Amino acid sequence: MASFFETPIEYLKGVGPQRSSLLNKELNIFTFGDLIQYYPFRHEDRVKFYAINDIYDEMPYVQVKGTLLRKEIIGTGFKKRLVASISDGTDELELVWFQGIAWIQDKIKTGVQYVVFGKPTRYGSKFNIAHPEIELLTPKNEKGGTLYPVYSLTEKLKGKHVDSKAIAKLMQELLAKAADHIRETLPRSATDKFKLISKKEALQHIHFPQTIEQLAQAQQRLKFEELFYIQLRLLKMKVVRQEKFRGQVFQDTRLLTAFYNDHLPFALTDAQKKVIREIYTDLKSGKQMNRLVQGDVGSGKTIVAFICMLVVAAGNAQAAFMAPTEILAQQHYKNLKRYADSMQLPIALLTGSTKKSERKVIHEGLLSGELKILIGTHALLEEEVQFNNLGLSIIDEQHRFGVAQRSKLWQKNVDIYPHILVMTATPIPRTLAMTLYGDLDISTIDQLPAGRKPIKTLHKFDAHRLQVNEFLRKEIAKGRQVYMVYPLIEESEKLDLKHLEDGYESVCRAFPEVAVSIVHGRMKPEAKDFEMARFIKNETKIMVATTVIEVGVDVPNASVMVIENAERFGLSQLHQLRGRVGRGAEQSYCILMTNSKLGADSKTRIETMVRTTNGFDIAETDLKLRGPGDLMGTQQSGALDLLVADLAKDGAILQEARELAKEILRDDPELDKPENKLIRTQIDSMRKTVVNWSRIS
Ligand code: ADP
Ligand code: MG
């Protein structure tokens, strides 16, 4: 039985086939349910009338009432306009129209009282409103209206006279019809505990609140509901997985202890130890691990990964480590091989450029189980790569891999899924992590190894170029190496390259005495690797590059990072780039070059970078500046298409909603107790909507 909310929108009075197809195409509104959930993005405050002499600068919108004193057409041609004046006894307010003059002039009459609404602008000591809304003062509107909903609409819709007023009218019609069909969607335990208004009231008040308080209550309620169901679904997935999927038990710590006692090149930080313990607990639990390890750049995730591999190897299983790029895979291989060799553990590297003959050897080693550790790129996912017994899959810098690729790695073991460890150096604010990775357990390495000197970050204007070059020369003379990063200016790949090549030439001119490398995304992999290798071997002193060096590259001797046009980079990206330096014992520097004119957001970004090196701090600021949808690596995630909630602002609600979801699942994992029937129904009906959406897009 189709529910009321699945009724096609064209059956609503006032819609009809033409408007219905407009609403389909422009706003993705197909059903009554879609429309009712098309929430206004703000409301015009028409609750009260302002006295004209109370109007002040920068008021968004005001509503006044008064008597029209005069009206006249002034100027000719382009400057022709209708100017009227209205008084409420406290002062006069000018009203101006540039278009539709004849029609308005006809409509308004001097000596008559009107209600006027619009955005005031100051002219000298007076205010005026251009193109105000104006209507006759009537007994109905003279006490002040309500809050008028403003909907986000396309130009095309507006062109066809579907404006906020029109949508509001449809909404009123719909809400009246829907009244008897709106079910409560949150359990009593939630509405009581968090003092939330009912679904029915919330839908009414999100569109047509009488007061600001009503609007706030409606938002609170709908945000809670939205976040609650997201969390419930994520947590339920986790519960199901934990119930269903066994994990191989790895608890033999002999290799780990041997490595720890005899070969560990440094003392682990407390944070590294804590995370290793968390992972070990999972490995021996008998349940499949799905864990995210977050750790700022340089926090030492690689060694943590290796130590976990040791536990798996001691249990006669294999480990795979997948990196997003060839360069990174090679680097991981180089680092891990040192550790593995010290333990006589066979290890291999598999990437797109691995030779056929080598591949064959690797494939055989994997199948026989002799090869214990495999490092590589997504080449690991290929069909021919078969393991004897894959016990642990590690995915580095996971935002570069899609969920689908992640799950392919799962399937590399036939009888029992491998344990999964996802590592990311992109610190994510808690609210985002709970939503993006809400189905994973999360470990955080929240400490850098001792003895690191904090990177000094400086902001310099392009005008200081000579001074900056002088500084670089001194650092190079001390034996250091320098990165110079150029932004990608998406509009034109050709221009980007030109920009980079110009940069390269001017660097070569400015530093004729040293060798300079250049790396960018459109070089052949071999050429790129060759240049990279020269820099790693310290044959070149300056590396001119695009953001290809952003992730994971580790050259401890490179201690200066110059970022050109730093204002063009997002905060998280700046932070990632800066993380390329500060890896050795020397004092490191990050120099942010910008031109002298900076917008407010750019300024905040640069100031934040200069102020702090804490990745979580930076991620929070980034989230506030850009909103969750734009944060690095999260673009594709439908999990962030929220209707009402805002992950940058609603952390507290999210926390409450997640706690409640946990509580409910703890008590009733299958959600089959009678008191949870409502939740079940709601989840099922949401599932249906998801299917609908995928059909549409
Ligand atoms: P990331 O977390 O960015 O992947 P890496 O694992 O590449 O960091 O480690 C960065 C550098 O710090 C490496 O050179 C590594 O050998 C070193 N390192 C890791 N842990 C420690 C530690 N506890 N003490 C000192 N150096 C460490
Ligand atoms: Mg790393």
Side-chain angles (χ1 to χ4, degrees):
M1 185 189 72
S3 86
F4 173 81
F5 291 102
E6 287 165 44
T7 314
I9 194 66
E10 66 169 295
Y11 295 111
L12 186 65
K13 196 174 145 216
V15 177
Q18 217 174 6
R19 271 197 171 181
S20 137
S21 104
L22 258 178
L23 290 172
N24 294 171
K25 284 203 196 92
E26 298 294 305
L27 301 180
N28 251 336
I29 293 176
F30 288 81
T31 62
F32 286 5
D34 294 340
L35 181 62
I36 216 164
Q37 288 194 78
Y38 200 71
Y39 303 138
F41 69 96
R42 67 180 178 86
H43 285 80
E44 281 175 355
D45 182 357
R46 299 179 70 163
V47 174
K48 70 177 269 190
F49 290 104
Y50 285 87
I52 291 176
N53 71 354
D54 277 345
I55 295 176
Y56 55 88
D57 281 340
E58 286 168 32
M59 263 180 149
Y61 288 88
V62 294
Q63 175 171 250
V64 300
K65 57 181 170 186
T67 310
L68 199 75
L69 298 180
R70 53 183 171 269
K71 55 174 180 178
E72 57 179 324
I73 292 176
I74 305 179
T76 53
F78 277 130
K79 296 208 167 136
K80 186 169 163 189
R81 61 200 186 272
L82 170 66
V83 179
S85 180
I86 177 175
S87 164
D88 64 354
T90 70
D91 207 343
E92 286 182 21
L93 178 68
E94 225 168 56
L95 311 174
V96 188
W97 287 268
F98 300 92
Q99 271 138 30
I101 294 177
W103 188 75
I104 297 281
Q105 195 195 17
D106 220 36
K107 188 176 127 178
I108 56 177
K109 311 246 176 317
T110 51
V112 173
Q113 289 195 298
Y114 290 98
V115 172
V116 169
F117 178 83
K119 183 169 175 40
T121 319
R122 174 196 281 283
Y123 274 94
S125 65
K126 293 269 181 221
F127 283 92
N128 79 24
I129 297 181
H131 288 266
E133 282 181 34
I134 182 163
E135 49 186 53
L136 277 176
L137 185 70
T138 62
K140 210 172 149 201
N141 66 16
E142 80 176 338
K143 290 192 190 64
T146 49
L147 291 157
Y148 281 74
V150 183
Y151 298 93
S152 128
L153 299 167
T154 62
E155 286 308 314
K156 190 149 179 201
L157 281 166
K158 287 182 199 160
K160 304 258 179 196
H161 305 291
V162 182
D163 53 9
S164 283
K165 240 185 192 161
I167 297 280
K169 206 161 161 221
L170 297 180
M171 204 65 83
Q172 236 142 11
E173 176 73 30
L174 178 58
L175 279 165
K177 268 177 96 122
D180 293 337
H181 300 276
I182 299 172
R183 288 182 294 107
E184 183 49 57
T185 44
L186 281 175
R188 278 293 290 274
S189 54
T191 46
D192 285 357
K193 184 167 175 194
F194 299 103
K195 304 202 170 46
L196 302 171
I197 61 173
S198 71
K199 177 77 177 238
K200 196 165 155 181
E201 269 179 295
L203 285 176
Q204 178 69 36
H205 291 168
I206 194 91
H207 293 287
F208 303 108
Q210 300 289 317
T211 61
I212 299 280
E213 291 71 41
Q214 277 189 353
L215 176 62
Q217 284 172 347
Q219 285 169 336
Q220 176 85 8
R221 143 82 210 206
L222 294 171
K223 284 176 177 189
F224 189 98
E225 175 181 337
E226 183 167 45
L227 295 171
F228 172 75
Y229 278 104
I230 291 173
Q231 290 303 320
L232 193 74
R233 273 154 59 157
L234 287 167
L235 290 166
K236 192 154 187 320
M237 255 153 64
K238 187 165 150 184
V239 172
V240 168
R241 203 172 49 212
Q242 282 172 345
E243 295 289 306
K244 256 207 214 139
F245 300 143
R246 278 181 316 121
Q248 298 193 60
V249 177
F250 297 115
Q251 52 187 350
D252 185 340
T253 54
R254 267 175 302 174
L255 290 180
L256 184 155
T257 311
F259 179 74
Y260 201 94
N261 291 339
D262 303 330
H263 303 288
L264 190 66
F266 35 66
L268 294 179
T269 62
D270 288 342
Q272 284 171 316
K273 287 186 202 162
K274 176 194 72 183
V275 171
I276 291 169
R277 268 197 300 273
E278 286 167 357
I279 296 169
Y280 180 61
T281 308
D282 287 350
L283 290 178
K284 65 176 184 183
S285 71
K287 300 198 165 152
Q288 191 220 9
M289 169 175 77
N290 268 279
R291 188 172 281 280
L292 173 76
V293 174
Q294 283 200 85
D296 217 337
V297 276
S299 61
K301 291 183 288 296
T302 318
I303 191 92
V304 169
F306 181 73
I307 287 175
C308 300
M309 291 176 178
L310 287 176
V311 180
V312 171
N316 259 326
Q318 296 158 296
F321 191 124
M322 185 163 76
T325 65
E326 174 114 20
I327 293 176
L328 276 179
Q330 278 170 5
Q331 198 172 283
H332 279 312
Y333 176 67
K334 201 184 99 200
N335 291 333
L336 290 167
K337 185 164 172 28
R338 252 186 314 159
Y339 301 144
D341 285 352
S342 72
M343 297 298 294
Q344 284 97 46
L345 275 179
I347 181 171
L349 173 69
L350 180 69
T351 69
S353 56
T354 305
K355 286 199 202 75
K356 222 171 169 185
S357 53
E358 278 175 63
R359 263 168 205 264
K360 195 157 168 270
V361 178
I362 291 174
H363 290 163
E364 283 167 9
L366 288 175
L367 263 184
S368 72
E370 219 163 290
L371 187 53
K372 293 296 180 207
I373 302 174
L374 182 64
I375 315 294
T377 53
H378 48 264
L380 296 194
L381 300 176
E382 285 162 14
E383 201 70 41
E384 314 85 77
V385 180
Q386 297 290 338
F387 293 82
N388 179 276
N389 178 15
L390 180 62
L392 173 65
S393 292
I394 302 175
I395 304 171
D396 195 25
E397 308 294 354
Q398 91 98 31
H399 60 272
R400 304 259 160 146
F401 293 106
V403 176
Q405 283 177 313
R406 230 203 294 168
S407 74
K408 264 197 189 165
L409 250 187
W410 275 49
Q411 271 132 54
K412 285 283 170 188
N413 233 34
V414 211
D415 349 314
I416 185 163
Y417 287 138
H419 295 287
I420 304 279
L421 200 58
V422 174
M423 300 199 155
T424 174
T426 315
I428 317 166
R430 267 186 67 74
T431 53
L432 265 190
M434 281 192 286
T435 307
L436 280 175
Y437 303 113
D439 62 326
L440 303 182
D441 292 305
I442 300 182
S443 290
T444 307
I445 310 184
D446 48 7
Q447 190 180 19
L448 293 182
R452 293 259 173 88
K453 292 200 181 82
I455 301 165
K456 282 191 184 151
T457 303
L458 313 164
H459 174 206
K460 294 283 170 194
F461 292 115
D462 290 337
H464 299 137
R465 172 86 44 199
L466 289 180
Q467 190 199 336
V468 170
N469 283 351
E470 206 41 51
F471 173 76
L472 299 182
R473 215 160 273 129
K474 276 194 193 132
E475 289 299 303
I476 293 171
K478 285 192 217 157
R480 309 287 116 75
Q481 287 164 282
V482 176
Y483 292 109
M484 278 193 172
V485 179
Y486 286 78
L488 293 174
I489 314 157
E490 302 285 334
E491 299 102 64
S492 155
E493 292 197 2
K494 266 201 188 129
L495 258 178
D496 280 351
L497 194 56
K498 173 103 177 49
H499 195 52
L500 183 75
E501 280 168 352
D502 288 351
Y504 175 69
E505 272 170 29
S506 62
V507 171
C508 290
R509 263 200 309 279
F511 299 89
E513 67 282 8
V514 304
V516 182
S517 279
I518 178 167
V519 169
H520 58 80
R522 257 157 301 130
M523 282 163 85
K524 289 226 171 72
E526 307 85 68
K528 199 154 69 180
D529 293 346
F530 176 77
E531 286 289 315
M532 237 7 255
R534 289 214 302 156
F535 188 68
I536 291 171
K537 281 187 266 177
N538 199 0
E539 289 169 11
T540 55
K541 302 295 172 185
I542 301 177
M543 160 73 75
V544 172
T546 55
T547 48
V548 292
I549 60 153
E550 177 189 309
V551 181
V553 173
D554 191 15
V555 182
N557 191 52
S559 63
V560 185
M561 165 68 61
V562 180
I563 303 177
E564 299 289 338
N565 297 110
E567 73 275 11
R568 291 183 189 270
F569 291 90
L571 251 182
S572 298
Q573 211 178 11
L574 287 172
H575 180 64
Q576 287 289 316
L577 285 169
R578 178 167 62 182
R580 297 305 109 219
V581 298
R583 311 196 138 224
E586 314 303 334
Q587 176 62 56
S588 290
Y589 300 89
C590 175
I591 302 172
L592 305 171
M593 304 293 300
T594 71
N595 60 33
S596 52
K597 286 202 196 79
L598 288 181
D601 279 8
S602 310
K603 219 176 205 163
T604 308
R605 290 200 294 270
I606 304 284
E607 281 167 7
T608 305
M609 286 294 292
V610 172
R611 170 174 63 79
T612 179
T613 52
N614 181 316
F616 287 93
D617 193 350
I618 286 170
E620 291 285 350
T621 309
D622 204 19
L623 178 62
K624 291 204 179 90
L625 281 180
R626 292 201 288 169
D630 290 331
L631 281 193
M632 204 169 156
T634 60
Q635 290 91 335
Q636 320 90 318
S637 173
L640 297 176
D641 294 337
L642 304 183
L643 280 179
V644 265
D646 176 349
L647 293 175
K649 295 188 192 130
D650 299 326
I653 305 177
L654 173 56
Q655 189 69 44
E656 286 174 353
R658 184 171 167 93
E659 280 314 310
L660 179 70
K662 263 192 200 161
E663 235 169 72
I664 290 174
L665 286 173
R666 207 177 296 135
D667 175 56
D668 182 15
E670 297 297 329
L671 295 176
D672 37 37
K673 290 196 177 172
E675 66 264 34
N676 291 327
K677 184 156 183 283
L678 174 158
I679 297 181
R680 239 216 130 95
T681 319
Q682 181 63 8
I683 289 189
D684 289 344
S685 81
M686 285 165 79
R687 215 170 267 139
K688 246 191 309 194
T689 345
V690 173
V691 173
N692 280 341
W693 279 107
S694 60
R695 173 178 58 80
I696 291 157
S697 57

